[in-house]
Amino acid sequence: MTLIDGKATAAAIKAEIAEEVKQIVEAGGKRPHLAAILVGHDGGSETYVKNKVLACEACGFKSTLLRFEDDITEEFLLEQVDKLNKDADVDGFIVQLPLPKHISEQKVIEAIDYKKDVDGFHPINVGRMSIGLPCYISATPNGIMDLPARYNIETKGKRCVVLGRSNIVGKPMAQLMMQKRTPGDATVTVLHSHSENIKEICREADIIIAALGQPNFVTADMVKKGAVIIDVGTTRVPDATRKTGFRLNGDVKFDEVAPLCSYITPVPGGVGPMTICSLMKNTLSAGKKEFYK
Ligand code: GUN
């Protein structure tokens, strides 16, 4: 069994990005600039955004964090999005989700200029991704797609089960794994809360990508010997032994599943660092106007 080290892989990719940024700036080019909007004080969102800002520093990007209280109106937030759309210095930006209940996330996502949508959530980017056109791809699936190449994992012709059908992970993950390219070319099955025979279908899989948000859902009796397991779960579960009072738990029962696998991602330290790294790759692309002028 090989443990996929997302932390080390992400560090290597960030070093590559930093080197490219250095060369761009030395040649007189513009330093890529990522802006982030954070609304409210959700603990998870605070951590994610802090890590995104730190990753920007590691890559040599400029970053701007705009913070607002959770009682702002939808109209006010849409105005801030419009300002960033029009700010020529900002190459790409994100609005951290979730948003307070009184604000429509879909409305906000659709208000973002798709040319600056480095999260890849705008319907134009989602549509372009699904037909294989250059675009921003959402960070988690894009980060996962870096792993087969870095670890020499074959996906072509393999049976891949994606557990979960969220817009941010499950659906784009399935699209990318089935695409006619390397990595990709897999035979993909998407399983969700209404699927039948989940255990039996998982047992046939060469690759399982678990993105349900249900701690320990994937157990040893669901995994074929030699399978590749990618665990996207990061549920906070109470843990009195930790200073924070919680730990991150994956969707895979790691201790019993790991001995069966050829490759497996740990939680934390697997998919998580790759996700932030993908946002950095998208920001570099935005700075270079790689997809859109
Ligand atoms: N909340 C959880 N994941 C993400 C992400 O990738 N982008 C944004 N904007 N919000 C999130």
Side-chain angles (χ1 to χ4, degrees):
M1 183 274 290
T2 300
L3 198 62
I4 295 179
D5 189 340
K7 214 170 155 181
T9 308
I13 295 174
K14 279 188 284 190
E16 290 164 18
I17 294 173
E19 181 53 35
E20 193 172 341
V21 170
K22 191 168 154 247
Q23 285 173 16
I24 290 171
V25 173
E26 275 173 7
K30 180 181 177 300
R31 192 178 288 283
H33 181 185
L34 175 72
I37 294 181
L38 175 60
V39 181
H41 300 273
D42 174 80
S45 294
E46 297 253 7
T47 306
Y48 285 134
V49 170
K50 188 180 86 189
N51 288 336
K52 288 171 186 177
V53 170
L54 288 173
C56 281
E57 281 170 24
C59 292
F61 297 157
K62 179 176 173 186
S63 69
T64 301
L65 174 58
L66 300 168
R67 296 203 62 147
F68 304 108
E69 290 304 319
D70 54 14
D71 60 355
I72 58 165
T73 64
E74 184 179 275
E75 191 189 1
F76 176 82
L77 183 55
L78 291 171
E79 280 165 18
Q80 306 315 305
V81 166
D82 195 46
K83 275 189 199 163
L84 292 176
N85 284 341
K86 290 176 177 149
D87 185 338
D89 193 61
V90 172
D91 297 298
F93 68 97
I94 63 158
V95 179
Q96 187 66 27
L97 305 179
L99 290 171
K101 293 274 177 291
H102 65 280
I103 299 177
S104 160
E105 289 185 351
Q106 197 56 33
K107 220 173 185 176
V108 172
I109 288 169
E110 290 188 40
I112 297 172
D113 180 353
Y114 69 91
K115 294 178 181 175
K116 293 190 175 188
D117 167 40
V118 283
D119 258 333
F121 292 170
H122 191 286
I124 290 181
N125 282 311
V126 175
R128 288 178 66 95
M129 183 267 302
S130 75
I131 56 173
L133 294 176
C135 64
Y136 299 114
I137 299 173
S138 71
T140 303
N142 209 16
I144 290 170
M145 292 307 281
D146 277 332
L147 296 174
R150 301 250 165 187
Y151 278 84
N152 254 325
I153 295 169
E154 182 63 86
T155 59
K156 189 177 186 166
K158 300 298 176 192
R159 280 169 294 187
C160 174
V161 163
V162 177
L163 286 163
R165 55 176 164 181
S166 70
N167 290 341
I168 292 178
V169 186
K171 283 187 198 132
M173 197 68 249
Q175 293 278 3
L176 293 170
M177 286 299 282
M178 77 168 84
Q179 233 149 58
K180 200 169 183 144
R181 67 161 79 121
T182 305
D185 283 325
T187 303
V188 180
T189 304
V190 180
L191 301 177
H192 50 78
S193 49
H194 291 275
S195 297
E196 293 179 353
N197 305 322
I198 289 180
K199 270 188 204 283
E200 290 74 8
I201 297 169
C202 283
R203 264 203 299 269
E204 299 274 301
D206 302 301
I207 303 167
I208 297 177
I209 301 172
L212 291 162
Q214 282 190 43
N216 303 329
F217 183 88
V218 178
T219 47
D221 58 342
M222 296 165 72
V223 176
K224 181 169 84 171
K225 199 161 186 300
V228 175
I229 306 288
I230 308 290
D231 190 351
V232 188
T234 48
T235 307
R236 285 182 166 194
V237 296
D239 185 341
T241 67
R242 304 287 173 103
K243 219 166 59 189
T244 52
F246 68 85
R247 67 187 151 80
L248 291 182
N249 206 121
D251 286 353
V252 177
K253 207 162 185 181
F254 186 89
D255 291 348
E256 64 175 54
V257 169
L260 294 168
C261 303
S262 53
Y263 294 88
I264 187 166
T265 59
V267 175
V271 172
M274 295 302 296
T275 297
I276 293 190
C277 195
S278 294
L279 178 66
M280 299 300 113
K281 285 205 310 191
N282 279 350
T283 304
L284 178 61
S285 298
K288 291 174 10 186
K289 307 278 179 278
E290 194 173 320
F291 304 137
Y292 309 114
K293 287 280 169 267

